[in-house]
Amino acid sequence: MKKLWIQYIMVILSAAMMLAVVPDFSDLIKSAQAQPDWQTDIPSEEETEFGDFVLPIPNEDQLSSVYLASDTERMSSMLRSLFTSMPASSKSSSSTSRVSSKLSSSSVIQDPTASMPPIPSSKPSSSSSLFTSSAVSATSSGSSEVGEKVWVTVNGKQQELALLEVLPQIVENEIGSSSEPEALKAQAVAAHTFIRYYNDRDSAPAVSLKAVYPANQAKMDAAIRAVADKIMTVGGKAVYTPYCASSAGKTNSSVDVWGGNLSHLVSVESKYDSQDTKNWGTRKTMSVSEVKSLLETKGGITVSGKPEEWFKIINYTAGGYNKNMSVCGQTQCTINGKTQTITGRVLRENILSLRSAKFDVKVEGDSFIFTTYGYGHGVGMPQIGANLYAKNEKWSYQQILTHYYTGVTITTLK
């Protein structure tokens, strides 16, 4: 019996030594794991600077629950709790940079789970609401102190984090703190609503975080605090609020892109998006042989005839994007073994990796030139449009949001 106790103590001491030397070993394991490809609407990783960080309209039966903590993470958490007096290493403090309660930030958050409690073993339930009546309290200055927490997925890990910690970094990543203050507010409300929509369905949406540019920290702080207690609702419930970088002059309706007919996601004008020189009239050149290979290997399309006659636009979406198309006379393709109708969106996302489904096609010599207009799926609020409406027409965030999300009510959480 005495021998067993000695062995037990040796195991505990060994674990303590391991934590002292490598306190973030579980984080190393997590960083080595492959990240899920949730950004299904992104052409390629280098083009994800902002815009399409949203999922298509979720199927209610497919909404995910909060992940169970892995055995390694649970063991790491248990051992840490046994040795709370142990000093954290410099690596630990640098790898877990998080925004303070004053909304300050010094580096991009790569994995907030490093300094968070273990993920609960069950998804958030309606019986323990994430948003209690005491979560929001108005201050004398008219701003809000929001103590609520939200469920989000960062780098494939689901966590319950303070809204004021993640919201400014989502906004920085999506639209950038150099944008107009009213555009920052509009983006913050859209992102908050997006998260709330999923949380209300016991799911944690994936988000990407970026540290606020230091010179713009005060501006970001003011914008976030002014609207942190605001979301968009229809019938008293948070709605699905996708956004994109820029549109093709008009936004797309949800029914034209994902097939879900939502009254607040219809096509509306976004007249300033053509001023987005980076994403308007962008040319992508590919060789004829490369396009042929992509069509055959990724789309299962039999390629024949003159290259000039391969692509034909059959009709357009309400927003002016390429809708149904034919390729070499065919109107169907095969993506991952599934037969699909050929559309501008399918060609953009699944085969050609273009910035927008609004594109022209031209052949010059042995090359195809694809010219795109806008960046992203085009549904909801284009960030370029929001920023330029705020700059050129002095629109408030309320005007921006109710323009792009028709029929919504901007609701104050209580």
Side-chain angles (χ1 to χ4, degrees), residues 227-243:
V227 299
D229 60 347
K230 304 290 192 294
I231 63 170
M232 286 177 279
T233 62
V234 171
K237 297 181 178 180
V239 292
Y240 175 65
T241 52
Y243 30 83

Side-chain angles (χ1 to χ4, degrees), residues 322-325 342-349 356-357 359:
N322 301 359
K323 192 173 183 181
N324 294 316
M325 297 184 66
I342 297 176
T343 64
R345 181 195 173 201
V346 167
L347 289 172
R348 177 223 169 194
E349 295 178 15
S356 170
F359 59 88

Side-chain angles (χ1 to χ4, degrees), residues 120-319:
S121 59
S122 62
K123 62 186 178 181
S125 64
S126 57
S127 61
S128 58
S129 175
L130 299 178
F131 306 90
T132 63
S133 59
S134 62
V136 181
S137 60
T139 67
S140 58
S141 64
S143 62
S144 299
E145 294 294 338
V146 182
E148 69 188 55
K149 293 187 176 182
V150 294
W151 283 97
V152 292
T153 300
V154 181
N155 290 341
K157 299 299 179 182
Q158 298 191 24
Q159 281 291 329
E160 185 183 29
L161 302 174
L163 177 69
L164 286 181
E165 291 182 291
V166 296
L167 198 54
Q169 294 182 86
I170 294 173
V171 175
E172 179 70 41
N173 184 73
E174 291 293 344
I175 195 169
S177 55
S178 61
S179 300
E180 295 293 311
E182 293 303 303
L184 295 178
K185 294 175 187 177
Q187 179 63 70
V189 176
H192 187 183
T193 305
F194 183 78
I195 295 170
R196 178 67 182 264
Y197 175 85
Y198 275 88
N199 284 183
D200 285 349
R201 287 156 178 76
D202 296 337
S203 183
V207 298
S208 189
L209 309 180
K210 184 177 181 180
V212 177
Y213 185 62
N216 296 326
Q217 186 71 58
K219 183 173 74 170
M220 179 68 83
D221 290 355
I224 296 299
R225 289 190 178 279
V227 299
D229 60 347
K230 304 290 192 294
I231 63 170
M232 286 177 279
T233 62
V234 171
K237 297 181 178 180
V239 292
Y240 175 65
T241 52
Y243 30 83
C244 61
S246 62
S247 75
K250 293 180 69 176
T251 66
N252 263 325
S253 66
S254 59
V255 69
D256 274 334
V257 177
W258 300 307
N261 192 0
L262 300 176
S263 63
H264 66 287
L265 294 177
V266 299
S267 179
V268 298
E269 182 183 28
S270 190
K271 65 182 181 181
Y272 291 111
D273 288 17
S274 60
Q275 296 181 17
D276 178 21
T277 56
K278 182 176 181 179
N279 297 310
W280 190 270
T282 304
R283 291 158 59 101
K284 180 174 183 177
T285 302
M286 291 186 282
S287 67
V288 170
S289 60
E290 180 184 3
V291 173
K292 179 177 184 295
S293 177
L294 290 173
L295 292 172
E296 292 176 338
T297 59
K298 288 191 171 184
I301 298 171
T302 301
V303 177
S304 62
K306 298 179 180 179
E308 296 85 350
E309 300 174 352
W310 287 2
F311 297 93
K312 294 186 182 301
I313 302 171
I314 299 173
N315 53 26
Y316 298 89
T317 69

Side-chain angles (χ1 to χ4, degrees), residues 45-164:
E45 185 173 333
E46 63 270 15
E47 295 180 348
T48 64
E49 55 194 289
F50 73 117
D52 268 351
F53 293 91
V54 294
L55 295 166
I57 297 175
N59 183 325
E60 298 292 335
D61 296 330
Q62 296 176 347
L63 286 170
S64 61
S65 61
V66 177
Y67 296 134
L68 295 177
S70 68
D71 291 339
T72 302
E73 291 168 330
R74 285 198 296 269
M75 178 62 72
S76 172
S77 177
M78 181 183 71
L79 291 175
R80 288 175 192 271
S81 68
L82 291 176
F83 300 97
T84 54
S85 62
M86 294 180 60
S89 70
S90 57
K91 173 185 177 298
S92 176
S93 61
S94 64
S95 66
T96 60
S97 300
R98 300 170 60 198
V99 182
S100 71
S101 59
K102 295 183 179 180
L103 297 176
S104 63
S105 177
S106 59
S107 64
V108 177
I109 290 184
Q110 296 297 329
D111 191 353
T113 64
S115 60
M116 296 297 294
I119 301 172
S121 59
S122 62
K123 62 186 178 181
S125 64
S126 57
S127 61
S128 58
S129 175
L130 299 178
F131 306 90
T132 63
S133 59
S134 62
V136 181
S137 60
T139 67
S140 58
S141 64
S143 62
S144 299
E145 294 294 338
V146 182
E148 69 188 55
K149 293 187 176 182
V150 294
W151 283 97
V152 292
T153 300
V154 181
N155 290 341
K157 299 299 179 182
Q158 298 191 24
Q159 281 291 329
E160 185 183 29
L161 302 174
L163 177 69
L164 286 181

